[in-house]
Amino acid sequence: AGLVGAYDTEVTAAASQRTERLGVPFVNGDTSAVFLTERGLDWFFRTGPTDRMFGEAFFSALRQTPGGGVRKVAVLYTNDRPGNVAAELTKELAGEGGFQLVKEVELDLRIGDPVAAVAQIRDHPQPPDAVFVIASNPSDATRLIKAFRRARYSPPGILAFGPGFLQSTVLDAGPDGDGLMASTAWSREIAGRNLAAKSVMELYEERYSQPMGETAAGAFTAVLVLAEAIDNAGSVDPQRVRSALLNLDIPGREMIMPWSGVRFDGSRQNAAANGVVEQRVQDLFRVVFPDELQQAEPVWPRQGAGA
């Protein structure tokens, strides 16, 4: 009746080309690369936010930092397809928002030194107020986070952008990850306010003996969306399921995600999805943006900034 998957950007791109040829609905809940819903595919649907939505949340959060003095940004990114795309998007959003991009550093971690890359930003004559760090896999993300301490550089803000920055990745970085901001499609603390979501989390954690994370929550949501479409269609016929997906209008109160709901636009992107920005303070992640979901004021500059 349909396919759900597949986290990795390149796997998702390849699999969705195949389902397009087969005429099978593909509901994706955990891959944010913008281009996936810009290919004109008829059978590919994405429930979660895009990188553009995450980036917009980041820049909106920067405008609201204490003192409001964030104007200069830098970008450090891995030289792979997701990293390059996210870096271009970040530069585009910086221009749209009136921020000054003072430095961008591209890094191939197979041959390059992340400490030297961080030092290029540290030694720039115009120190940035915030550094966007972009990585598409957890191992790269960990190396980039740790490179800041090794380079003896702690800017006022570090914004962790990309699928490599899972909560577990930031926690595993130890003190190096303290104060980082990350944009996410799901917040455990916000979900805990919803009784249905709280029940889902408790069942998940009872079964798997670990906290429910963003990837699991995204996959869970995609499965439920596909199931509701099948139910509304009253059939497992792919064409009828696809039509039901196009006509879905699920309110936010019926979901575990901090979105206003699920409503697919002409590109099959959920227009009601959005990103929230969390900041790690010691071993806790607190939502600092948007205002209506905020749990704490951002710590700005981050602890240890300027060291």
Side-chain angles (χ1 to χ4, degrees):
L3 180 70
V4 170
Y7 184 69
D8 181 82
T9 300
E10 299 303 330
V11 173
T12 301
S16 56
Q17 292 287 359
R18 182 61 176 163
T19 53
E20 188 76 6
R21 292 194 294 272
L22 293 171
V24 175
F26 185 161
V27 182
N28 173 257
D30 48 25
T31 310
S32 56
V34 176
F35 76 87
L36 291 171
T37 45
E38 294 182 342
R39 297 171 296 165
L41 301 186
D42 291 327
W43 296 87
F44 180 76
F45 295 78
R46 174 165 44 203
T47 55
T50 66
D51 283 339
R52 170 168 276 274
M53 293 174 177
F54 287 135
E56 288 171 346
F58 268 137
F59 281 103
S60 295
L62 286 179
R63 290 190 190 93
Q64 298 181 23
T65 53
V70 179
R71 302 312 309 166
K72 300 191 295 292
V73 298
V75 181
L76 171 63
Y77 62 99
T78 55
N79 182 19
D80 49 35
R81 186 181 185 186
N84 288 317
V85 170
E88 286 301 316
L89 175 63
T90 303
K91 291 185 284 184
E92 180 182 327
L93 290 171
E96 292 176 5
F99 292 82
Q100 180 185 0
L101 178 66
V102 297
K103 184 69 174 177
E104 61 175 295
V105 179
E106 174 188 290
L107 175 64
D108 185 341
L109 281 169
R110 295 171 299 180
I111 57 176
D113 179 4
V115 177
V118 169
Q120 291 184 51
I121 299 174
R122 180 199 65 200
D123 298 337
H124 194 271
Q126 296 187 65
D129 304 307
V131 179
F132 282 84
V133 182
I134 300 170
S136 57
N137 69 70
S139 61
D140 288 351
T142 299
R143 290 182 66 189
L144 291 179
I145 292 174
K146 290 184 174 295
F148 279 81
R149 181 178 292 271
R150 292 174 58 203
R152 300 182 180 276
Y153 176 48
S154 187
I158 298 178
L159 296 100
F161 194 1
F165 290 100
L166 304 172
Q167 280 194 354
S168 57
T169 307
V170 178
L171 283 173
D172 289 345
D176 297 337
D178 201 34
L180 263 67
M181 290 185 177
S183 190
T184 177
W186 184 80
S187 163
R188 175 183 171 80
E189 287 192 308
I190 292 175
R193 303 176 188 175
N194 179 313
L195 289 178
K198 188 171 184 293
S199 297
V200 170
M201 288 192 298
E202 289 172 350
L203 286 169
Y204 179 92
E205 289 164 14
E206 179 182 336
R207 175 169 295 185
Y208 298 108
S209 301
Q210 62 180 338
M212 191 172 196
E214 179 182 6
T215 304
F220 177 86
T221 299
V223 170
L224 285 191
V225 166
L226 179 58
E228 182 151 343
I230 293 170
D231 193 47
N232 291 350
S235 169
V236 292
D237 175 73
Q239 187 64 58
R240 293 181 64 178
V241 174
R242 176 183 173 277
S243 296
L245 283 166
L246 288 169
N247 290 303
L248 277 183
D249 189 356
I250 303 174
R253 64 179 178 274
E254 297 180 9
M255 306 176 62
I256 69 170
M257 311 301 272
W259 310 335
S260 61
V262 173
R263 294 180 296 278
F264 293 109
D265 62 19
S267 68
R268 287 52 164 174
Q269 166 64 40
N270 178 18
N274 59 269
V276 301
V277 178
E278 293 182 322
Q279 184 177 33
R280 179 190 159 186
V281 180
Q282 295 182 351
D283 289 334
L284 296 176
F285 289 87
R286 310 306 304 273
V287 174
V288 296
F289 181 86
D291 291 344
E292 62 270 21
L293 299 175
Q294 187 182 71
Q295 298 167 309
E297 290 286 337
V299 176
W300 194 275
R302 56 190 287 265
Q303 294 179 359

